[in-house]
Amino acid sequence: MSFLSKILGDPLAKTLKTYQSLVASINDLEPSIEKLNASQMKEKTLAFKQSLQDGQASLDDILPEAFALAREAARRTLGQRPYDAQLIGGLVLHQGKIAEMKTGEGKTLAATLPAYLNGLTGKGVHIVTVNDYLAERDAVWMGQIYNYLGLSVGCIVNNASYLYDENFGKEDDNRDKVGGFKVEKSFLRPCSRKEAYLADIVYGTNNEFAFDYLRDNMVFETGDMAQRGFNFAVVDEIDSILIDEARTPLIISQPGLESSNYYKEFSRIVPQLKKDIDFEVDEKAKSAFLTEPGIEKVEKILGLKNIYEEKGMRYLHYLEQALRAQTLFQRDRDYLVKNNEVLIIDEFTGRILPGRRYSGGLHQALEAKERVEVKPESKILATITFQNYFRLYQKLAGMTGTALTSAEEFDKVYKLAVVPVPTNKPMSRNDLSDLIYKTETAKFKAVVAEVKDCYKKGQPVLVGTRSVEKNEYLSKLLAREGVKHEVINAKNHAREGEIIAQAGRLFAVTVATNMAGRGVDIVLGGNPPQIEEAEKVKALGGLRIIGTERHEARRIDNQLRGRAGRQGDPGLSQFFVSLEDELMRIFGGDRIKKLMEMMKIPEDQPITAKIINSALEKAQSKVEGLNFDARQHVLEYDDVMAKHRFKIYSQRAQTLIDDYQQLKDFVWQILEKELSGLTETIEEIKTIMPLSEEIIKGLQEAKDQDKALQILNNHAKQLWQEKEAQDSQENLLRLLRFVVLRCLDFWWIEHLINMDHLKDSVNLRAYGGRDPLAEYKTEGHQLFQELWKNVNSQIARTIFKVSFTA
């Protein structure tokens, strides 16, 4: 304990004391809440809503009773009464903080308490999950609680949206293979996106919520917008969504430039180049670049004298992406090829990212490398990072088993505090020190021996691997030794739920990528649990976790460890590491290599030198720092775009309002401004509106600019009055809206492309000692001013040239 802590007291202990006081208040209400029948509980919900609406009470005023009510509803519908630890988790979430809750502590159930409380405002609560399966599962599973209390529940997934409806379809005995609870999809009635968002509580994935925001800002009618504001979001696995996925912006695009032949051509040239002579690779920065001799060699192959002058920077861009694809991206680690398509593997979860493509031409380069169809590069229509999307919410909270190692980033980027929630039962898992081997071969030999030993005893084992490639390699080694096992990876995800449900049984051996490291609850004795078998597993020491490689982020390692030791169960975790592992090879440094050469110990004997354990921790810390910098880099650039996006989207929102006079005034201001610069150029004025001979004569005779402008403004008003006399106000509103939105969208898309090119351009200026971000901000501002100039010019030149039929 630090000197300050001794004087001021442990701040965490003080915080928990406050929470425990509130938990006591909630518990005191339990006897009276238990006496209420179902209809009385719904009446309570209505009374809460009314008092909040009238301003007679705040959310904090009704919190104890609302939490007590939600807990009783959970007990009646699911047969699960939230523990005091789950109440604390719920309180942390309600306060807009991150609850770090260990695996098996019931985060999903804990989230229902603040969701119910905040759902009473009628402004909507979004509960964000990492995949469609969890969104649908939780909407039905937890939907029973909200439905019992009289709140509506929506569900948003890829290409579908639902409302929870207890009367929809037939109830049967189908049970989910992972959770053991009823998840009849028949309880989810298909509905429109808008209907789902109107529900009090909405479950959905991070991708869908953010994409819907972008889509809403591309519509031409307010009725086509789905979302209704950003009140309160609870993000499950918040470190995965707001940190691991924060480096890749979400993009809505359409096919654009046809450049597949360039990528095919360069995918054949790159293998002819030699590393460290023609090109250099920086694995730490994940970049590859040509040397001067390399550029000369490419020019010779292509028959060019100067690639820059003859083909330009764009041509060189194709070449560099082909180089990155060949040198830095590995099949079955970074991506896999399935059905003649390159699919990205999420390095943090081990899952395929459907519909996601690498940007900047990298995906096309990979397609050319793998000899599959090279799809056209895309034209960006809308884009946002998860950081900037989730900062739209008035209140943001999250939960995960591993957040403390990223507490600094959560505070800096999102202003979110992390609160570790005490476990319901004391943790009894034993986390052993790493075993470090000189070679990868020796490491895997030791892993197989350890798994075989556990298998003979009957102790269940979960072995974690970093890639599909290593996953399949280990599977072959185990099969050779006669160890029966199941495999989970991005290629074999269809049976994931079924395999995990049995992963805690006697003699179960599961070899999995990071897919099994997050959001997965392995129950000892199987799921649903076999009580007698569970006791035998406990006697053997519980679930044995073996990690075959350290991940770049400590959180991912902790997630894997966290699969064992749920709810006080015994368990054992240990990592088997080699000095040839990627993390050690790239970040371990020369010191470790020298030490490795000096060691005269046998390959099959693990190294326990403290210097290597320390180097491993330093390597992880170094990579975490680099990744944080990379995310900060993305965010700093997107913050520039966020200001531009806010102004454009705000103007779109104003344009969509059904107010003819307001929109007409906006357009008229633009028109008058445009005309003021054109009083002496009659041919240009004609590009805006038709001019009669009389008007032209009046302009020519005008003594000064003010007089000419007055003639033009009067003429424009007269032309518009003629339109108003011939057409309905409703139709003219549609016309003005169409023109403004079309012009905004066209130039916004052009601006996105220009800003993308600007980002590439300013990064090169760092070599000249200039700050790329400062250049990006300055020139980005100029481009944005240019955007408005173009928008105004096009609006002025379009309104008198279009007409709608009613």
Side-chain angles (χ1 to χ4, degrees):
M1 188 181 283
S2 70
F3 173 70
L4 276 174
S5 293
K6 285 176 183 174
I7 297 172
L8 303 172
D10 182 356
L12 179 59
K14 284 184 175 180
T15 303
L16 289 175
K17 201 171 180 182
T18 306
Y19 289 138
Q20 279 155 354
S21 171
L22 275 166
V23 167
S25 302
I26 296 163
N27 289 340
D28 289 343
L29 292 165
E30 193 164 21
S32 60
I33 296 291
E34 281 177 335
K35 293 172 186 173
L36 301 175
N37 60 33
S39 61
Q40 286 172 323
M41 289 180 82
K42 280 190 171 74
E43 284 167 14
K44 278 277 183 191
T45 294
L46 291 172
F48 284 149
K49 281 187 168 185
Q50 195 61 53
S51 61
L52 287 169
Q53 194 177 323
D54 296 344
Q56 293 173 354
S58 68
L59 287 175
D60 288 341
D61 292 336
I62 62 171
L63 185 150
E65 199 173 358
F67 269 46
L69 209 64
R71 175 157 72 179
E72 179 60 19
R75 189 185 65 79
R76 292 185 193 182
T77 55
L78 307 180
Q80 297 179 9
R81 176 187 175 276
Y83 307 119
D84 286 1
Q86 286 168 300
L87 294 185
I88 292 174
L91 291 168
V92 172
L93 295 174
H94 168 64
Q95 290 179 352
K97 296 174 183 174
I98 296 171
E100 183 178 89
M101 297 176 71
K102 301 301 177 192
T103 187
E105 290 295 301
K107 296 191 292 289
T108 307
L109 186 57
T112 62
L113 305 164
Y116 168 67
L117 173 63
N118 286 267
L120 294 166
T121 62
K123 294 176 184 175
V125 174
H126 294 174
I127 301 185
V128 187
T129 66
V130 290
N131 58 50
D132 287 351
Y133 161 73
L134 289 174
E136 288 182 358
R137 182 199 77 173
D138 295 352
V140 176
W141 186 22
M142 299 296 124
Q144 297 171 71
I145 299 171
Y146 307 119
N147 182 64
Y148 190 85
L149 292 167
L151 292 188
S152 55
V153 181
C155 180
I156 300 286
V157 291
N158 188 26
N159 295 322
S161 42
Y162 305 97
L163 280 174
Y164 180 94
D165 186 346
E166 63 182 342
N167 300 313
F168 185 73
K170 293 178 182 176
E171 189 171 338
D172 56 35
D173 249 356
N174 292 332
R175 287 179 181 269
D176 177 80
K177 289 173 182 173
V178 178
F181 41 76
K182 293 180 181 178
V183 290
E184 299 87 343
K185 271 199 182 179
S186 57
F187 281 171
L188 293 180
R189 173 170 57 78
C191 68
S192 71
R193 213 66 163 178
K194 189 163 191 167
E195 282 179 289
Y197 274 112
L198 285 171
D200 297 308
I201 317 288
V202 186
Y203 283 87
T205 64
N206 49 325
N207 283 341
E208 291 308 305
F209 281 124
F211 274 133
D212 282 343
Y213 168 69
L214 293 177
R215 291 184 198 112
D216 275 358
N217 283 285
M218 295 169 72
V219 302
F220 276 71
E221 299 286 343
T222 45
D224 295 333
M225 295 179 82
Q227 293 181 335
R228 58 175 182 127
F230 305 94
N231 175 42
F232 177 40
V234 177
V235 184
D236 192 10
E237 306 297 359
I238 193 168
D239 52 335
S240 174
I241 290 172
L242 295 194
I243 291 181
D244 298 339
E245 293 199 44
R247 277 185 287 178
T248 311
L250 287 170
I251 296 169
I252 291 179
S253 59
Q254 66 182 23
L257 303 170
E258 180 59 70
S259 52
S260 58
N261 290 335
Y262 293 132
Y263 290 112
K264 288 174 187 172
E265 187 176 0
F266 287 128
S267 74
R268 289 189 285 269
I269 291 173
V270 167
Q272 300 175 49
L273 306 178
K274 291 179 181 175
K275 189 181 177 185
D276 298 328
I277 297 172
D278 300 319
F279 66 88
E280 291 181 13
V281 176
D282 185 341
E283 289 186 272
K284 290 182 185 179
K286 292 190 177 176
S287 65
F289 48 91
L290 289 164
T291 60
E292 282 299 321
I295 291 169
E296 286 171 17
K297 191 169 185 177
V298 171
E299 286 171 341
K300 195 174 179 182
I301 293 168
L302 294 170
L304 301 172
K305 287 184 179 178
N306 187 321
I307 195 169
Y308 293 96
E309 286 181 10
E310 294 179 52
K311 294 292 183 180
M313 289 294 289
R314 185 76 184 154
Y315 204 66
L316 203 65
H317 164 78
Y318 297 132
L319 177 56
E320 286 176 349
Q321 292 294 29
L323 187 61
R324 285 185 72 208
Q326 296 277 0
T327 58
L328 289 163
F329 289 79
Q330 283 182 30
R331 184 170 176 164
D332 290 341
R333 183 193 72 183
D334 303 298
Y335 64 92
L336 57 85
V337 179
K338 190 175 181 182
N339 300 329
N340 218 28
E341 200 176 351
V342 171
L343 302 169
I344 302 173
I345 297 173
D346 186 331
E347 64 173 303
F348 299 100
T349 66
R351 297 179 187 279
I352 290 172
L353 294 172
R356 296 277 280 274
R357 290 174 64 81
Y358 291 115
S359 59
L362 175 60
H363 212 96
Q364 284 80 2
L366 289 169
E367 288 167 335
K369 170 188 170 184
E370 297 296 341
R371 304 285 191 268
V372 300
E373 181 196 353
V374 180
K375 293 176 181 172
E377 284 187 79
S378 299
K379 189 175 184 180
I380 299 170
L381 302 180
T383 178
I384 195 169
T385 58
F386 282 127
Q387 291 116 312
N388 272 318
Y389 172 73
F390 282 105
R391 291 196 297 190
L392 292 170
Y393 285 89
Q394 288 178 23
K395 183 163 72 173
L396 181 64
M399 48 194 184
T400 178
T402 46
L404 274 177
T405 53
S406 301
E408 183 188 355
E409 184 166 352
F410 279 124
D411 179 52
K412 277 186 179 176
V413 178
Y414 303 100
K415 303 289 185 287
L416 287 172
V418 177
V419 179
V421 177
T423 53
N424 180 48
K425 293 179 181 176
M427 175 71 74
S428 58
R429 186 184 69 236
N430 188 6
D431 296 329
L432 300 178
S433 298
D434 295 0
L435 293 176
I436 303 167
Y437 294 82
K438 283 172 74 175
T439 67
E440 189 176 68
T441 304
K443 174 186 75 174
F444 276 113
K445 194 175 176 183
V447 168
V448 171
E450 185 67 29
V451 172
K452 199 172 177 183
D453 185 50
C454 292
Y455 180 65
K456 282 177 183 173
K457 293 187 293 183
Q459 184 179 17
V461 187
L462 173 65
V463 188
T465 62
R466 269 197 68 181
S467 67
V468 176
E469 180 191 12
K470 294 290 192 292
N471 180 273
E472 292 176 340
Y473 171 65
L474 181 57
S475 175
K476 285 175 187 171
L477 295 180
L478 290 171
R480 200 181 297 162
E481 292 295 317
V483 177
K484 285 185 180 178
H485 63 281
E486 292 280 8
V487 174
I488 301 175
N489 61 40
K491 289 183 180 177
N492 175 37
H493 61 86
R495 291 183 57 240
E496 180 189 354
E498 185 184 334
I499 294 167
I500 289 297
Q502 307 307 321
R505 301 197 68 169
L506 289 166
F507 300 100
V509 174
T510 310
V511 180
T513 56
N514 294 334
M515 284 172 71
R518 187 182 284 280
V520 166
D521 204 2
I522 297 174
V523 181
L524 300 187
N527 196 7
Q530 314 294 316
I531 306 302
E532 196 176 316
E533 190 168 338
E535 292 308 313
K536 287 180 183 176
V537 172
K538 285 178 185 177
L540 289 167
L543 181 66
R544 176 82 160 93
I545 301 288
I546 295 175
T548 59
E549 197 172 340
R550 283 284 191 169
H551 198 278
E552 289 179 356
R554 287 168 292 175
R555 289 179 297 100
I556 310 300
D557 294 339
N558 292 339
Q559 285 282 355
L560 180 62
R561 287 193 195 277
R563 298 312 101 199
R566 64 183 290 284
Q567 286 295 322
D569 286 343
L572 191 71
S573 78
Q574 190 167 34
F575 279 83
F576 287 61
V577 181
S578 92
L579 295 178
E580 292 177 347
D581 290 349
E582 191 174 283
L583 185 72
M584 292 300 283
R585 183 174 56 78
I586 299 173
F587 294 93
D590 295 333
R591 193 177 173 194
I592 300 302
K593 287 174 188 170
K594 285 174 187 172
L595 187 70
M596 188 175 156
E597 288 159 9
M598 285 165 54
M599 288 181 175
K600 304 292 183 189
I601 56 176
E603 277 204 354
D604 59 355
Q605 186 177 324
I607 304 161
T608 53
K610 282 185 180 177
I611 186 172
I612 297 180
N613 275 300
S614 169
L616 194 59
E617 286 172 16
K618 280 180 184 171
Q620 281 184 306
S621 190
K622 195 185 288 183
V623 182
E624 283 172 4
L626 283 170
N627 287 341
F628 178 40
D629 291 344
R631 288 189 292 271
Q632 279 293 98
H633 181 76
V634 170
L635 184 59
E636 283 168 347
Y637 279 82
D638 193 55
D639 277 346
V640 176
M641 283 304 300
K643 289 173 185 172
H644 299 179
R645 189 188 301 114
F646 175 76
K647 287 177 182 173
I648 291 290
Y649 285 2
S650 295
Q651 185 53 60
R652 274 192 120 266
Q654 281 294 312
T655 305
L656 286 167
I657 293 170
D658 288 330
D659 189 328
Y660 172 69
Q661 192 58 48
Q662 181 183 307
L663 188 53
K664 181 186 164 186
D665 290 346
F666 170 72
V667 170
W668 225 256
Q669 283 174 6
I670 290 171
L671 185 63
E672 287 180 351
K673 192 175 178 184
E674 285 294 308
L675 289 171
S676 67
L678 303 175
T679 50
E680 295 172 7
T681 51
I682 287 168
E683 287 309 309
E684 273 201 71
I685 296 167
K686 284 180 180 177
T687 65
I688 293 178
M689 58 187 175
L691 298 177
S692 65
E693 291 298 325
E694 187 185 344
I695 296 294
I696 294 171
K697 189 180 177 186
L699 289 171
Q700 289 169 340
E701 292 174 355
K703 291 179 182 177
D704 55 37
Q705 193 174 351
D706 289 343
K707 179 63 178 172
L709 189 56
Q710 188 183 351
I711 292 169
L712 287 176
N713 285 337
N714 289 339
H715 179 55
K717 282 173 185 170
Q718 187 183 341
L719 288 173
W720 196 257
Q721 281 166 4
E722 287 170 12
K723 271 185 175 287
E724 287 178 325
Q726 294 164 5
D727 216 337
S728 68
Q729 198 174 92
E730 182 187 350
N731 222 24
L732 289 174
L733 173 63
R734 284 176 62 220
L735 184 148
L736 289 174
R737 184 184 289 157
F738 175 81
V739 169
V740 173
L741 294 179
R742 278 283 180 189
C743 296
L744 276 172
D745 291 350
F746 177 83
W747 290 108
W748 174 239
I749 291 165
E750 288 296 306
H751 183 67
L752 290 174
I753 295 166
N754 291 336
M755 291 296 284
D756 205 37
H757 290 162
L758 177 63
K759 196 189 296 181
D760 290 339
S761 163
V762 296
N763 284 333
L764 295 172
R765 298 179 203 177
Y767 297 110
R770 289 185 283 178
D771 179 0
L773 182 61
E775 300 266 315
Y776 183 74
K777 284 178 179 175
T778 303
E779 293 192 29
H781 178 70
Q782 290 167 2
L783 284 173
F784 194 61
Q785 297 302 108
E786 193 70 25
L787 173 153
W788 278 116
K789 190 178 169 185
N790 290 329
V791 167
N792 292 345
S793 175
Q794 193 171 341
I795 288 172
R797 283 161 177 75
T798 310
I799 57 161
F800 287 110
K801 294 174 185 168
V802 295
S803 60
F804 277 0
T805 51

Short mmCIF file of all heavy atoms in Angstrom, two decimals, residues 584 587-588 592 610-620:
data_model
loop_
_atom_site.label_atom_id
_atom_site.label_comp_id
_atom_site.label_asym_id
_atom_site.label_seq_id
_atom_site.Cartn_x
_atom_site.Cartn_y
_atom_site.Cartn_z
N MET A 584 8.37 -13.05 -28.78
CA MET A 584 9.76 -13.01 -28.29
C MET A 584 10.72 -12.69 -29.44
O MET A 584 11.69 -11.95 -29.26
CB MET A 584 10.13 -14.35 -27.65
CG MET A 584 9.38 -14.64 -26.36
SD MET A 584 9.70 -13.39 -25.10
CE MET A 584 11.32 -13.88 -24.56
N PHE A 587 10.02 -8.82 -30.39
CA PHE A 587 10.17 -7.80 -29.33
C PHE A 587 11.12 -8.20 -28.20
O PHE A 587 11.37 -7.42 -27.31
CB PHE A 587 8.80 -7.46 -28.74
CG PHE A 587 7.88 -6.79 -29.72
CD1 PHE A 587 6.99 -7.54 -30.48
CD2 PHE A 587 7.93 -5.42 -29.92
CE1 PHE A 587 6.15 -6.92 -31.40
CE2 PHE A 587 7.09 -4.80 -30.83
CZ PHE A 587 6.21 -5.55 -31.58
N GLY A 588 11.61 -9.43 -28.23
CA GLY A 588 12.47 -9.90 -27.14
C GLY A 588 13.82 -9.22 -27.10
O GLY A 588 14.42 -9.06 -26.04
N ILE A 592 18.01 -11.37 -25.34
CA ILE A 592 17.44 -12.71 -25.18
C ILE A 592 18.09 -13.68 -26.16
O ILE A 592 18.38 -14.83 -25.81
CB ILE A 592 15.90 -12.68 -25.40
CG1 ILE A 592 15.24 -11.75 -24.39
CG2 ILE A 592 15.30 -14.07 -25.31
CD1 ILE A 592 15.49 -12.11 -22.95
N LYS A 610 14.67 -15.81 -14.56
CA LYS A 610 13.82 -14.64 -14.31
C LYS A 610 13.99 -13.58 -15.39
O LYS A 610 13.05 -12.86 -15.72
CB LYS A 610 14.16 -14.03 -12.93
CG LYS A 610 13.56 -14.81 -11.78
CD LYS A 610 13.82 -14.11 -10.46
CE LYS A 610 13.20 -14.91 -9.31
NZ LYS A 610 13.51 -14.27 -8.02
N ILE A 611 15.19 -13.51 -15.98
CA ILE A 611 15.45 -12.49 -17.00
C ILE A 611 14.53 -12.69 -18.21
O ILE A 611 14.08 -11.75 -18.84
CB ILE A 611 16.95 -12.51 -17.43
CG1 ILE A 611 17.24 -11.35 -18.38
CG2 ILE A 611 17.33 -13.83 -18.09
CD1 ILE A 611 18.70 -11.17 -18.71
N ILE A 612 14.21 -13.98 -18.52
CA ILE A 612 13.36 -14.26 -19.68
C ILE A 612 11.90 -13.96 -19.35
O ILE A 612 11.17 -13.39 -20.16
CB ILE A 612 13.54 -15.72 -20.17
CG1 ILE A 612 14.99 -15.89 -20.64
CG2 ILE A 612 12.57 -16.03 -21.29
CD1 ILE A 612 15.33 -17.25 -21.15
N ASN A 613 11.47 -14.33 -18.14
CA ASN A 613 10.11 -13.98 -17.71
C ASN A 613 9.91 -12.47 -17.74
O ASN A 613 8.89 -11.96 -18.18
CB ASN A 613 9.85 -14.51 -16.29
CG ASN A 613 9.39 -15.95 -16.30
OD1 ASN A 613 8.36 -16.28 -16.88
ND2 ASN A 613 10.16 -16.82 -15.68
N SER A 614 10.94 -11.76 -17.29
CA SER A 614 10.88 -10.31 -17.27
C SER A 614 10.84 -9.76 -18.70
O SER A 614 10.10 -8.83 -18.99
CB SER A 614 12.12 -9.77 -16.53
OG SER A 614 12.24 -8.40 -16.71
N ALA A 615 11.64 -10.36 -19.59
CA ALA A 615 11.68 -9.92 -21.00
C ALA A 615 10.33 -10.12 -21.66
O ALA A 615 9.88 -9.32 -22.47
CB ALA A 615 12.75 -10.68 -21.75
N LEU A 616 9.67 -11.23 -21.30
CA LEU A 616 8.34 -11.54 -21.86
C LEU A 616 7.33 -10.47 -21.46
O LEU A 616 6.56 -9.97 -22.30
CB LEU A 616 7.89 -12.91 -21.33
CG LEU A 616 6.71 -13.60 -22.01
CD1 LEU A 616 6.98 -13.82 -23.48
CD2 LEU A 616 6.42 -14.92 -21.33
N GLU A 617 7.35 -10.10 -20.19
CA GLU A 617 6.44 -9.06 -19.70
C GLU A 617 6.73 -7.71 -20.35
O GLU A 617 5.83 -6.98 -20.73
CB GLU A 617 6.55 -8.94 -18.18
CG GLU A 617 5.87 -10.10 -17.45
CD GLU A 617 6.15 -10.08 -15.96
OE1 GLU A 617 6.60 -9.04 -15.45
OE2 GLU A 617 5.92 -11.11 -15.31
N LYS A 618 8.04 -7.42 -20.51
CA LYS A 618 8.43 -6.16 -21.16
C LYS A 618 7.99 -6.14 -22.62
O LYS A 618 7.57 -5.12 -23.15
CB LYS A 618 9.94 -5.97 -21.07
CG LYS A 618 10.41 -5.45 -19.71
CD LYS A 618 11.92 -5.28 -19.68
CE LYS A 618 12.38 -4.85 -18.29
NZ LYS A 618 13.86 -4.88 -18.18
N ALA A 619 8.10 -7.31 -23.28
CA ALA A 619 7.70 -7.41 -24.69
C ALA A 619 6.21 -7.13 -24.83
O ALA A 619 5.78 -6.36 -25.69
CB ALA A 619 8.04 -8.78 -25.24
N GLN A 620 5.41 -7.76 -23.93
CA GLN A 620 3.96 -7.52 -23.98
C GLN A 620 3.63 -6.06 -23.70
O GLN A 620 2.79 -5.46 -24.38
CB GLN A 620 3.24 -8.42 -22.95
CG GLN A 620 3.08 -9.85 -23.43
CD GLN A 620 2.28 -10.68 -22.44
OE1 GLN A 620 2.62 -10.75 -21.26
NE2 GLN A 620 1.25 -11.33 -22.92
#
